[in-house]
Amino acid sequence: MKPLILLLALAGAAGAEDAPGVHSPARAKMNWMLNCQGCHQANGAGTANGAPNLAGEVSRFLGVKGGREFLTRVPGVANAGLPNDQLAELLNWTLSTFDPGHLPAGFEPYNIDEIAAGRAAVLVSDAPEMRARLVEEFSAAEGTARKGD
């Protein structure tokens, strides 16, 4: 079974070769499949009343105060059974794969120190409330920017 998972990961990793902070797109994709895809789906769309949508949205968190840290502290990330370096790589891959259009100019990839800090302050019951506040902030900021165009 493991060779099949590896082949699927290698086949699906095309296009992620140049993602910042992703040293092995195949490994990142395999980690996505094994740790995230069950809840967020293969396309990152999430599920109704379950895991939130990441597609076209996840990188938007990087544009608001506290959003970058939030992504390292959500339970699914902070509690993932991966070493910090692979978790940083997976988070960088996720941003570049599911929401490259909102990656800020000059994006600095996540590193092991940021992951360790997020794991030291895991969000539990307050994650949905914090997510909602951050979504409201980046939505309002983008709405203001659109009105001014």
Side-chain angles (χ1 to χ4, degrees):
M1 178 75 90
K2 287 188 179 186
L4 177 59
I5 291 172
L6 182 58
L7 283 174
L8 289 171
L10 289 170
E17 295 88 6
D18 296 329
V22 179
H23 305 291
S24 174
R27 178 179 58 206
K29 171 126 177 133
M30 183 172 60
N31 281 331
W32 167 265
M33 292 168 60
L34 295 173
N35 295 281
C36 311
Q37 181 173 307
C39 296
H40 289 283
Q41 301 189 56
N43 63 359
T47 56
N49 299 317
N53 175 45
L54 302 177
E57 184 168 292
V58 68
S59 294
R60 295 166 76 194
F61 285 92
L62 301 174
V64 294
K65 184 178 180 178
R68 183 176 177 99
E69 296 80 15
F70 170 78
L71 294 177
T72 67
R73 297 178 59 205
V74 295
V77 173
N79 293 316
L82 294 170
N84 289 346
D85 63 328
Q86 288 187 36
L87 189 54
E89 178 180 68
L90 174 56
L91 191 49
N92 292 324
W93 180 88
T94 300
L95 293 163
S96 295
T97 300
F98 295 112
D99 194 16
H102 290 110
L103 271 178
F107 166 67
E108 290 291 326
Y110 282 94
N111 60 55
I112 60 173
D113 294 331
E114 284 179 286
I115 297 300
R119 285 181 152 171
V122 180
L123 294 169
V124 184
S125 60
D126 48 350
E129 181 181 295
M130 184 175 285
R131 182 183 192 286
R133 180 181 54 78
L134 292 167
V135 167
E136 187 176 300
E137 286 181 31
F138 66 63
S139 295
E142 289 174 1
T144 302
R146 284 188 203 118
K147 290 177 186 175
D149 288 347

